[in-house]
Amino acid sequence: MPFAEVIGDPIAQSKSPLIHRFWLDALGIAGDYARAHVTAGGLADYIARSRDKPLWRGCNVTIPHKIAIMELVDDPGDVRGSIGAMNTVLRQPDGSLIGTNTDAGGFAAPIAGLDLTGRHVVVVGAGGAARAVLFALAKLGVGRVTVMNRSPLKAAGLLAKFGLKGDVVPLGAPLASDAALVVNTSALGMAGQPPLDIDLSPLDEDAVVYDIVYAPLETPLLAQARACGLETVDGLEMLVGQAALAFELFFGAEPPRDRDDELRALLVA
């Protein structure tokens, strides 16, 4: 039976198996999708072993492997040169493995109706997820981008990579009132991690707060945003969006997105 996996460290919190199994069942496809706990030291061995599994369709890649994985798989679409991080690996019939990125599309889908042209956006974090988010924001034609990160050099390098104008500030720096969108791409607020310490009160009432963390779904950041009366986008939106793109690559069928409400109810149960 064909199967795919999601790999990371930690991985127990991942909801990806629920999503893919829901779609497989809904479409009547004989297949499976599981979690695999893979440490940084075990990543190369995991990839090497997977090449010899004909029924293994590939894997999604989460923290902390989105950059390291690029050294271990082929890159025909030049993901390294564009986004600079991979979240999906696909096994080809000849056993070769290729990497791609569905995070950018998954991130952009929930805010497709938001006009960000020339607007100021704040992005927290500068890891693999931030790369996909910044790539998508550049495509959306945003204006100034402020990156909050512990390492200013790393964050400044990402702004330059994606041709974005902006600045870098420390974590927790005061927000500018003109920020139309605030995106948390870091692990802060995730179960087992400290919360993201940021004050949302300076934001205008039409600002949107987007947290890609989904465990827990109601992060302290989103709770604060709702208390301020701001529109929010939670981590399930991006998770389901990127999963839909990966599902089609793994199993060759479009997932039934008309059943998203049913899927979301399952994920938050």
Side-chain angles (χ1 to χ4, degrees), residues 114-132:
L114 187 63
D115 185 6
L116 292 172
T117 306
R119 302 293 301 277
H120 179 204
V121 177
V122 176
V123 175
V124 180
R131 290 171 176 266

Side-chain angles (χ1 to χ4, degrees), residues 2 5 27 51 55 63 70 90 93 107 129 154 157-158 163 172 176 181 190 214-215 223 234 240 243 253-254 258:
E5 297 174 304
L27 296 174
R51 294 179 185 275
L55 295 179
I63 295 173
M70 293 189 297
L90 304 170
F107 163 77
K154 182 178 181 181
L158 289 185
L181 175 68
M190 183 184 293
Y214 60 86
D234 63 44
V240 173
E254 292 186 15
D258 58 328

Side-chain angles (χ1 to χ4, degrees), residues 22 25-26 257-268:
F22 176 85
D25 183 65
R257 298 301 302 275
D258 58 328
R259 296 181 61 178
D260 274 8
D261 288 345
E262 184 181 348
L263 173 59
R264 186 178 180 88
L266 174 67
L267 292 172
V268 301

Side-chain angles (χ1 to χ4, degrees), residues 152-176:
L153 287 178
K154 182 178 181 181
L158 289 185
L159 288 176
K161 176 180 178 62
F162 297 110
L164 292 165
K165 297 180 179 179
D167 57 327
V168 179
V169 298
L171 284 172
L175 291 174

Side-chain angles (χ1 to χ4, degrees), residues 97-202:
L97 304 182
I98 63 173
T100 187
N101 190 301
T102 64
D103 275 340
F107 163 77
I111 56 172
L114 187 63
D115 185 6
L116 292 172
T117 306
R119 302 293 301 277
H120 179 204
V121 177
V122 176
V123 175
V124 180
R131 290 171 176 266
V133 167
L134 291 169
F135 175 84
L137 291 174
K139 296 294 184 183
L140 292 172
V142 301
R144 182 165 62 96
V145 176
T146 297
V147 180
M148 289 187 176
N149 196 56
R150 292 189 180 93
S151 170
L153 287 178
K154 182 178 181 181
L158 289 185
L159 288 176
K161 176 180 178 62
F162 297 110
L164 292 165
K165 297 180 179 179
D167 57 327
V168 179
V169 298
L171 284 172
L175 291 174
S177 62
D178 67 340
L181 175 68
V182 176
V183 186
N184 177 33
T185 73
S186 76
L188 294 173
M190 183 184 293
Q193 299 291 329
L196 173 58
D197 185 13
I198 185 172
D199 180 12
L200 301 176
S201 61

